[in-house]
Amino acid sequence: MEQSTHVTYKLNAAVSPGELAELFKSSGIKRPSDDLDRLEKMIQHSDLISTAWDNEKLIGIARAITDYSYCCYLSDLAVNKDYQKSGIGKNLVQILQNELGDEVALILLASPIAMEYYPRIGFEKIENGFKIARKR
């Protein structure tokens, strides 16, 4: 697929559950892409969403939850496979960091296949984390 060289970035632009589902599917990220009600809640309850667009097509997203003071959880970073390796993910994270400022730590849980990616865009690996996994 040939892609345009012009990508537009937006902060907190409207994203539909259908657009998000298509992006998740095209990016390879494992999310509940067939559960549009759940995706709608994920969008509605996000504090910050940076998006990348090729014309009207959503090609990337960074979705975060934050207190705007101390920490921010980056819950999704997804880029359409046709646009990966072009700096879009790094730009989406930078938009969030610019909005949050220097006092807010950005944290995330990486999938095993993304463990080598995050250090390349400025994340430091940590070993002091815990989780209670979701049941579905």
Side-chain angles (χ1 to χ4, degrees):
M1 173 182 190
E2 186 175 319
Q3 67 188 38
S4 83
T5 57
H6 182 70
V7 175
T8 304
Y9 294 92
K10 300 178 183 178
L11 184 63
N12 295 326
V15 174
S16 74
E19 288 172 317
L20 186 58
E22 282 303 310
L23 176 60
F24 285 161
K25 290 173 186 174
S26 70
S27 72
I29 193 172
K30 186 178 182 208
R31 294 293 185 271
S33 300
D34 295 326
D35 188 344
L36 295 182
D37 290 336
R38 192 169 185 186
L39 294 182
E40 176 69 25
K41 290 176 188 174
M42 290 166 64
I43 294 165
Q44 287 178 350
H45 296 289
S46 298
D47 294 308
L48 288 173
I49 297 177
S50 62
T51 51
W53 303 82
D54 183 350
N55 293 311
E56 301 298 315
K57 180 180 179 182
L58 179 66
I59 59 168
I61 194 165
R63 192 178 65 82
I65 300 161
T66 184
D67 59 16
Y68 293 97
S69 177
Y70 189 73
C71 64
C72 177
Y73 174 64
L74 178 59
S75 59
D76 296 317
L77 180 61
V79 177
N80 180 304
K81 284 184 181 179
D82 292 336
Y83 296 82
Q84 291 178 3
K85 300 185 192 248
S86 62
I88 292 172
K90 184 175 183 175
N91 290 340
L92 290 168
V93 170
Q94 187 62 55
I95 290 167
L96 293 181
Q97 288 181 288
N98 291 346
E99 187 70 13
L100 294 165
D102 293 335
E103 293 183 348
V104 179
L106 190 56
I107 57 175
L108 63 86
L109 296 173
S111 80
I113 61 172
M115 290 299 289
E116 293 180 19
Y117 171 73
Y118 288 105
R120 293 198 311 257
I121 65 167
F123 283 83
E124 172 187 345
K125 187 176 179 186
I126 59 173
E127 302 292 338
N128 60 336
F130 298 92
K131 73 174 186 176
I132 297 174
R134 69 187 149 272
K135 301 215 187 296
R136 61 176 197 103

